Amino acid sequence: MANPSTNGTSANGRASRDNKFANAGAAAGGFIGAMGGSFVPPVSVTINRTTNKGGQQSGSGRQSQFILGEPEFNNTDDVRNYCNHLRALMIQAAIELAMAAKILEARLGQAAPMPGENAVQTRMRAKKVAWKLKRASDGATAAAKNAVAAYGAFQREYADLMRPRPQRPATTNPFKF
């Protein structure tokens, strides 16, 4: 009988849980290690931060956990700036995700076919995998569109607050004895 430590089975013939997951991890690590940086595009993210205009102290040592900064909607400019920054970030993410999907599809399409598989099946499997990144790109595009739509809805619903109201001179009745 084979040594249990070499074939991943225990004395009673069942695969041990530890070896099964270790082998799966090794296979995934081998796949990622073999492909390494060959299909990962360089990613650069630009973050525009606005300075704090409120009464908070900047020396508090508290950092924002938001990519776009703390959402402070104190005036119409804050709403417009937030929506514009969100749109710009999502457009950049959508472009990078679409590019990554195409690169991943091309790279996986060039992989050696599995036994009993032809080249068309290999490309179809690659397309299925890359499709998920394409869906993520579509989601980022939808987020950019909705950021623009949010500002449009804000302008439509709160137009009366955005337009300067005509100011009438105050009518005062002077005090007379």
Side-chain angles (χ1 to χ4, degrees):
M1 183 168 184
N3 184 359
S5 63
T6 59
N7 67 1
T9 59
S10 61
N12 61 5
R14 289 185 290 164
S16 68
R17 178 173 282 162
D18 293 336
N19 285 339
K20 179 172 73 172
F21 291 121
N23 292 339
F31 174 75
I32 291 178
M35 296 197 153
S38 63
F39 65 88
V40 178
V43 177
S44 63
V45 176
T46 303
I47 299 173
N48 296 325
R49 292 193 67 119
T50 58
T51 58
N52 186 6
K53 297 177 188 174
Q56 296 177 349
Q57 296 178 356
S58 62
S60 64
R62 192 169 163 205
Q63 293 284 334
S64 173
Q65 295 180 356
F66 295 101
I67 292 174
L68 297 171
E70 291 288 332
E72 295 179 10
F73 302 120
N74 297 322
N75 55 36
T76 58
D77 290 339
D78 290 345
V79 176
R80 184 185 68 240
N81 289 336
Y82 189 83
C83 290
N84 282 339
H85 287 130
L86 175 62
R87 178 194 49 80
L89 181 68
M90 289 296 109
I91 287 173
Q92 181 70 26
I95 292 169
E96 290 182 13
L97 286 168
M99 184 185 307
K102 290 295 185 183
I103 293 170
L104 178 63
E105 182 180 346
R107 178 65 182 109
L108 292 177
Q110 297 297 317
M114 296 187 68
E117 185 178 65
N118 62 28
V120 173
Q121 290 170 323
T122 300
R123 286 193 298 271
M124 291 302 291
R125 284 190 310 129
K127 189 177 227 51
K128 283 181 187 177
V129 173
W131 184 72
K132 293 298 183 178
L133 276 180
K134 177 66 173 113
R135 291 273 314 253
S137 172
D138 294 344
T141 302
K145 288 179 190 177
N146 283 323
V148 173
Y151 185 66
F154 172 74
Q155 284 181 315
R156 187 174 52 254
E157 298 296 326
Y158 292 95
D160 59 331
L161 295 177
M162 296 172 69
R163 272 189 244 116
R165 294 186 179 134
Q167 299 293 320
R168 289 185 274 158
T171 58
T172 58
N173 294 330
F175 180 73
K176 296 180 183 176
F177 285 101

